[in-house]
Amino acid sequence: MFVGLASGLAVGSGVVAFLSVLGIIPRLMQLTKTMKMIRFYEWAVVIGVIIGSMASLWNPIFTLTRYLLIPIGLATGVFVGMLAAALTEVLNVFPILAKRIGIDGKIVYLLMAIVLGKILGSLYQWIYFVQK
């Protein structure tokens, strides 16, 4: 019980540091021009953490139609993509990477390579490794 509590506190501290120190959520609000909806963002994070914690403890099984899974997967992908974009923008990862590999003026090619690699990797996983 002590190890579980200590692990939860460590992970929770990391999430709080990730969200607050790096300023991911304020940057997302700034990019989407939705500053007045800050309460919705706060509650979305809190409810997401609670539901995620409950799901990891209870291991629920949902029986959803594949047509309902499409918008859920799309929303999840958009969120993860926006979160990754905000993180890389905060940390200035792409300009530093482009300068190191010598393609300073061609960051668009770097972004497209990353996007296409992610798409092809996801398709490869879904086509070959997901059981039907």
Side-chain angles (χ1 to χ4, degrees):
M1 201 164 55
F2 175 75
V3 171
L5 180 64
S7 300
L9 287 173
V11 169
S13 300
V15 169
V16 168
F18 176 72
L19 293 175
S20 63
V21 172
L22 294 177
I24 298 299
I25 292 179
R27 185 64 184 141
L28 278 173
M29 287 188 303
Q30 184 180 17
L31 287 173
T32 58
K33 297 178 177 73
T34 55
M35 294 290 224
K36 58 186 170 225
M37 300 178 72
I38 189 167
R39 295 285 178 215
F40 291 111
Y41 282 99
E42 290 172 351
W43 278 107
V45 170
V46 169
I47 291 170
V49 167
I50 291 170
I51 291 174
S53 298
M54 289 174 18
S56 70
L57 291 174
W58 293 336
N59 199 12
I61 297 173
F62 298 107
T63 55
L64 302 173
T65 66
R66 64 176 75 166
Y67 301 110
L68 188 60
L69 291 176
I70 292 170
I72 292 172
L74 184 63
T76 304
V78 166
F79 175 75
V80 170
M82 287 182 63
L83 194 64
L87 179 61
T88 56
E89 188 172 325
V90 167
L91 297 177
N92 293 328
V93 171
F94 290 140
I96 293 170
L97 181 63
K99 188 174 183 180
R100 292 207 185 239
I101 61 176
I103 57 170
D104 292 338
K106 298 177 182 146
I107 294 182
V108 174
Y109 295 126
L110 178 64
L111 288 172
M112 290 308 297
I114 292 170
V115 167
L116 291 174
K118 177 68 176 168
I119 291 170
L120 292 175
S122 297
L123 286 174
Y124 179 76
Q125 180 203 2
W126 278 99
I127 291 171
Y128 291 107
F129 292 115
V130 174
Q131 305 248 339
K132 296 180 180 167

